[in-house]
Amino acid sequence: MNKTERREQRVRDSQIITKEIYLYFLRYFDKYGYSPSYKEIAEKLNISQHTVQNHVTELIERGLLATDHPGNSRAVRVVGYKFTKVKERKV
């Protein structure tokens, strides 16, 4: 694999990680009603918390995620989605 091919592979890998982080946010919000921590994301995807932070920053810059409190991972929200926790029905 030459230098250009390696660079292209790194870009593809980075895009995959970004997508997985975004999807993890969606699933986590849906299940718990609030954001996952960077640590939880990192452990689930087997990447570093720093990598998570970099990708979350990218997602915020792209307008897919938003936050009113930068640096607080639990304050990140998915743009365009409103999640509400539904109480379980008793059978």
Side-chain angles (χ1 to χ4, degrees), residues 43-87:
E43 289 173 355
K44 179 69 176 180
L45 301 179
N46 198 29
I47 56 178
S48 73
Q49 289 184 50
H50 182 71
T51 299
V52 171
Q53 186 174 6
N54 289 341
H55 286 275
V56 168
T57 299
E58 179 185 339
L59 287 163
I60 290 170
E61 290 171 357
R62 290 172 53 189
L64 296 169
L65 297 178
T67 184
D68 296 324
H69 305 284
N72 182 346
S73 64
R74 298 264 190 215
V76 176
R77 64 186 181 280
V78 179
V79 173
Y81 287 84
K82 182 177 179 182
F83 295 95
T84 56
K85 191 119 179 169
V86 178
K87 292 183 179 181

Side-chain angles (χ1 to χ4, degrees), residues 8-68:
E8 289 172 354
Q9 183 62 44
R10 281 195 305 268
V11 168
R12 282 191 298 276
D13 291 347
S14 179
Q15 290 170 340
I16 290 168
I17 291 169
T18 301
K19 180 180 178 181
E20 289 300 315
I21 289 171
Y22 180 72
L23 293 174
Y24 188 76
F25 265 97
L26 289 175
R27 289 188 298 268
Y28 197 94
F29 271 126
D30 189 42
K31 185 172 183 178
Y32 299 105
Y34 57 90
S35 301
S37 69
Y38 291 163
K39 181 180 179 182
E40 289 167 327
I41 298 168
E43 289 173 355
K44 179 69 176 180
L45 301 179
N46 198 29
I47 56 178
S48 73
Q49 289 184 50
H50 182 71
T51 299
V52 171
Q53 186 174 6
N54 289 341
H55 286 275
V56 168
T57 299
E58 179 185 339
L59 287 163
I60 290 170
E61 290 171 357
R62 290 172 53 189
L64 296 169
L65 297 178
T67 184
D68 296 324

